Amino acid sequence: MDDLATVRAQEYEKTYNELIEVAARLDMLRRLEGNAVDAHATAAMHAVRFAATILWPVAPEGTPPPGFPHDTAWQVQLIANWKDAALGIGDFEPDRLALRRLADEQQG
């Protein structure tokens, strides 16, 4: 049983560290020219940061905390906002073209 606990702890730590690395790569990729950010990479970055935040408490003692704010409620709000931006929904929904009847315009 002790071997299983050791393996689990090692895998949690390994996975946590990989998530931190992926989040850092996505943070680099999301930055565009003119101080803009890519919504898709940003949404993915926040999702990966959330996953790291969830795993950190079960990582072995001494594993450093994430290098970003890791309040779970704050992370969930960020994920929701950037998901909407990446998918073009909610406040980020693109304007829809208005439909008009051509017959009315041709008569008038």
Side-chain angles (χ1 to χ4, degrees):
M1 190 69 151
D2 204 28
D3 289 338
L4 179 59
T6 301
V7 169
R8 288 179 60 80
Q10 290 170 343
E11 289 303 312
Y12 272 132
E13 183 177 23
K14 179 181 173 184
T15 302
Y16 171 81
N17 289 331
E18 289 171 354
L19 288 169
I20 296 297
E21 290 172 14
V22 169
R25 285 196 307 272
L26 286 166
D27 188 28
M28 183 218 29
L29 289 172
R30 75 188 189 100
R31 299 178 189 280
L32 302 173
E33 293 178 17
N35 212 22
V37 293
D38 176 87
H40 293 90
T42 302
M45 180 198 72
H46 286 303
V48 171
R49 283 182 171 187
F50 181 71
T53 297
I54 295 302
L55 280 184
W56 180 57
V58 295
E61 192 172 326
T63 301
F68 48 82
H70 52 276
D71 173 80
T72 53
W74 184 75
Q75 288 283 336
V76 168
Q77 186 59 49
L78 282 174
I79 290 167
N81 292 344
W82 282 102
K83 171 200 55 101
D84 289 357
L87 300 178
I89 57 178
D91 292 339
F92 301 95
E93 187 171 358
D95 293 333
R96 298 194 187 275
L97 296 175
L99 296 177
R100 56 187 182 163
R101 295 182 59 189
L102 294 176
D104 290 345
E105 288 182 15
Q106 292 172 353
Q107 292 175 2

